[in-house]
């Protein structure tokens, strides 16, 4: 196992991100009443500053070479998600587009990838369907070739940014008889005839505009097929490792913010004539939370450094995805209890953090599915449940 440490370039990136986030993101982060504007504005600001291009080579609108690595991308995810948790989900999208549009033409990259990386266009990732989430191989959306077009029919659901995105990366079956080898990946502009969207009323991360997207005979030019027909399932799976590590860090960022707010509160809240921070039932919870956050961050950055070194990382990515959101949710829960009755109020930021953090436990695969992956990697495919 390699030992991981941050370079000077990493420290500088974090420093710059913190300055940027404090000035540009944090002041508008919780304006949930202005939903559409908020997420568009935030992504645009991050794009304008160039941070959507971290770990993307400069020729595609990315960043300076010293930040073209996964650890830098992880730092960016952590700092943006700390400033606003919705950015924890939204920041995944330009990287997914970058990876999948790599398999398309230069014209498509110019038309779509460049504005996505600049934050001028929003994209979303549409895999889950009403009848299948964990079992992504079972999707039913159809993509039928018709001369120079594909015609898409079916329903995608749970799509982050679905209400606001300009374009979606959509997975559909182009050959129902071939199972996962019949799945293909498409770029679908969301203003085409036949597309309808309906929003979810979510308990947290409301500005993410999670939606169901229905496609009724939606006709897209054949050049909007990304990669080859039949490669779509593998293309989707290739995205999950980095997404899972990133969401681990995004969840921990919620725990860290909650912890900082809780420490401030515990130092000034008086009970029985003393600040509650002096009671071990409070201070030990804080100590335990800080320990768990540090351990989780080490796991996530170690996992990103494995990708940077070209080493196997699927097991570690799944570990990040089940464990970090789980401990983050427990930490935020404990923090809420330290705030007492005031933390239970909808108006208090800690209750919103509690509602937000649970999203990271479900999005991109539940803990149960991650444990199937980890045990498969440890013991071999022959011991998978199916
Ligand atoms: C905030 C949020 C954002 C999301 N964003 C997106 C997005 O942008 N794009 C997208 O495509 N999807 C998105 N999703 C969907 C997400 O990926 C799925 O919800 C997730 O994969 C689980 O699928 P499901 O909800 O259909 O649950 P199911 O697959 O129905 O599972 C239900 C329960 O059964 C358990 N279970 C299922 N199979 C097994 C098994 N084999 N062994 C043990 N337990 C099992 C699960 O762990 C879970 O607890 C998002 C979800 C959330 C909450």
């Amino acid at each position: 196992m390699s030992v991981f440490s941050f370079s000077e370039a990493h420290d500088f990136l974090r420093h710059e991100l913190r300055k940027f986030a404090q000035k540009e993101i944090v002041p508008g982060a919780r304006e949930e009443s202005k939903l559409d504007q908020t997420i568009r504005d935030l992504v645009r600001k991050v794009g304008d500053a160039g941070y959507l291009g971290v770990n993307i080579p400069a020729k595609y609108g990315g960043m300076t070479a010293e930040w073209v690595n996964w650890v830098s991308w992880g730092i960016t995810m952590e700092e943006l998600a700390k400033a606003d948790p919705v950015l924890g989900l939204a920041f995944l999208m330009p990287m997914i587009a970058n990876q999948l549009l790599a398999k398309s033409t230069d014209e498509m990259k110019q038309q779509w990838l460049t504005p996505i990386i600049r934050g001028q266009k929003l994209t979303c990732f549409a895999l889950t369907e009403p009848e299948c989430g964990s079992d992504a191989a079972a999707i039913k959306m159809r993509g039928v070739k018709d001369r120079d077009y594909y015609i898409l029919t079916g329903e995608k659901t749970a799509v982050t940014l679905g209400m606001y995105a300009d374009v979606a990366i959509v997975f559909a079956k182009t050959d129902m008889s071939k199972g996962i080898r019949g799945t293909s990946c498409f770029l679908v502009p969301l203003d085409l005839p036949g597309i309808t969207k309906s929003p979810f009323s979510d308990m947290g991360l409301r500005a993410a505009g999670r939606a169901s997207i229905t496609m009724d005979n939606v006709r897209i030019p054949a050049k909007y097929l990304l990669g080859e027909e039949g490669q779509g399932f593998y293309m989707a799976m290739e995205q999950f490792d980095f997404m899972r590590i990133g969401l681990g860090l995004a969840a921990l960022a919620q725990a860290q913010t909650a912890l900082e707010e809780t420490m401030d509160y515990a130092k000034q809240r008086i009970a029985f004539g003393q600040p509650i921070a002096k009671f071990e039932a409070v201070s030990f919870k804080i100590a335990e939370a800080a320990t768990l956050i540090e351990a989780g961050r080490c796991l996530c950055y170690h996992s990103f450094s494995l990708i940077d070194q070209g080493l196997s990382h699927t097991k570690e990515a799944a570990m990040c995805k089940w464990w970090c959101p789980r401990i983050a949710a427990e930490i935020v829960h404990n923090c809420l209890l330290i705030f007492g009755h005031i933390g239970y109020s909808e108006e208090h930021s800690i209750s919103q953090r509690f509602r937000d953090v649970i999203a990271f436990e479900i999005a991109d695969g539940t803990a149960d599915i991650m444990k199937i992956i980890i045990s498969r990697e440890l013991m071999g495919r022959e011991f998978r449940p199916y």
Side-chain angles (χ1 to χ4, degrees):
M1 189 196 284
S2 65
V3 178
F4 163 76
S5 65
F6 292 116
S7 68
E8 272 183 29
H10 292 142
D11 292 341
F12 182 64
L13 175 62
R14 193 183 293 282
H15 174 75
E16 291 298 297
L17 276 160
R18 282 194 181 161
K19 270 196 314 193
F20 163 76
Q22 278 307 318
K23 184 161 174 259
E24 302 288 349
I25 306 295
V26 173
R30 305 221 152 257
E31 293 174 28
E32 292 202 329
S33 53
K34 299 182 202 161
L35 292 181
D36 193 328
Q37 282 308 312
T38 300
I39 191 61
R40 270 199 178 277
D41 287 354
L42 290 182
V43 172
R44 182 68 182 252
K45 282 180 186 173
V46 180
D48 281 347
Y51 292 120
L52 298 179
V54 169
N55 197 27
I56 293 175
K59 66 178 171 178
Y60 300 124
M63 271 272 186
T64 165
E66 60 190 355
W67 292 339
V68 180
N69 55 69
W70 284 102
V71 170
S72 293
W73 190 84
I75 290 168
T76 313
M77 167 61 96
E78 191 182 12
E79 294 303 323
L80 293 177
K82 199 166 175 223
D84 186 330
V86 177
L87 279 176
L89 293 177
F91 182 61
L92 297 171
M93 303 303 163
M95 181 53 75
I96 298 170
N98 174 54
Q99 306 250 354
L100 295 178
L101 274 152
K103 298 172 195 295
S104 70
T105 61
D106 281 346
E107 182 201 340
M108 287 282 283
K109 285 182 200 137
Q110 283 297 326
Q111 187 180 350
W112 293 105
L113 186 56
T114 307
I116 287 170
I117 291 172
R118 289 187 183 144
Q120 295 158 348
K121 284 198 190 295
L122 289 183
T123 185
C124 60
F125 179 84
L127 177 63
T128 303
E129 296 186 358
E131 287 171 40
C132 59
S134 306
D135 186 7
I139 59 167
K140 293 203 176 96
M141 178 167 274
R142 297 292 312 271
V144 178
K145 185 102 192 266
D146 179 21
R147 292 184 297 264
D148 293 338
Y149 288 85
Y150 282 93
I151 299 171
L152 299 185
T153 303
E155 182 179 350
K156 294 294 174 184
T157 193
V159 182
T160 298
L161 300 183
M163 285 310 292
Y164 311 127
D166 303 289
V167 65
I169 291 163
V170 175
F171 297 86
K173 290 263 169 73
T174 41
D175 188 338
M176 296 302 268
S177 69
K178 286 191 180 159
I180 56 174
R181 288 185 183 79
T183 301
S184 302
C185 176
F186 299 92
L187 193 74
V188 182
L190 289 175
D191 56 356
L192 293 176
I195 295 180
T196 49
K197 302 169 170 183
S198 58
F200 281 91
S201 175
D202 280 344
M203 64 187 275
L205 298 186
R206 289 175 196 146
R210 215 164 56 92
S212 288
I213 302 177
T214 304
M215 304 204 183
D216 181 12
N217 287 304
V218 173
R219 188 172 267 271
I220 51 167
K223 68 178 179 185
Y224 279 68
L225 170 73
L226 302 179
E228 304 287 323
E229 262 193 33
Q231 287 182 346
F233 184 78
Y234 306 101
M235 289 162 66
M237 294 302 123
E238 279 166 17
Q239 307 312 305
F240 280 123
D241 284 348
F242 82 81
M243 287 161 77
R244 286 168 179 163
I245 308 169
L247 290 182
L249 278 172
L252 292 173
Q254 309 318 304
Q256 179 63 33
T257 311
L259 183 62
E260 287 166 13
E261 290 169 350
T262 304
M263 286 192 288
D264 288 345
Y265 181 74
K267 285 185 210 165
Q268 55 88 12
R269 174 70 179 176
I270 306 293
F272 300 93
Q274 311 206 60
I276 60 171
K278 285 197 176 185
F279 301 132
E280 287 172 356
V282 172
S283 63
F284 282 14
K285 275 198 191 84
I286 287 170
E288 286 167 16
T291 310
L292 289 170
I293 293 169
E294 198 58 33
R297 293 180 71 238
C298 286
L299 176 61
C300 293
Y301 282 112
H302 166 68
S303 306
F304 273 135
S305 79
L306 291 177
I307 312 188
D308 281 333
Q309 294 170 72
L311 298 172
S312 135
H313 54 269
T314 295
K315 169 169 59 68
E316 289 77 7
M319 289 174 173
C320 294
K321 179 62 187 60
W322 86 259
W323 193 61
C324 298
R326 174 70 52 86
I327 61 171
E330 282 172 16
I331 290 167
V332 178
H333 184 186
N334 282 333
C335 287
L336 190 151
L337 296 180
I338 292 173
F339 276 95
H341 83 90
I342 195 72
Y344 191 64
S345 158
E346 271 213 343
E347 274 108 62
H348 199 284
S349 63
I350 193 71
S351 77
Q352 189 181 331
R353 290 194 198 293
F354 187 59
R355 286 181 278 115
D356 289 347
V357 76
I358 292 165
F360 297 102
E361 291 195 273
I362 305 170
D364 282 354
T366 62
D368 305 315
I369 300 305
M370 296 308 111
K371 289 174 193 172
I372 291 173
I373 295 169
I374 295 164
S375 49
R376 177 197 74 197
E377 295 291 306
L378 288 169
M379 295 190 288
R381 290 184 168 267
E382 61 272 36
F383 296 105
R384 280 186 311 181
Y386 37 79

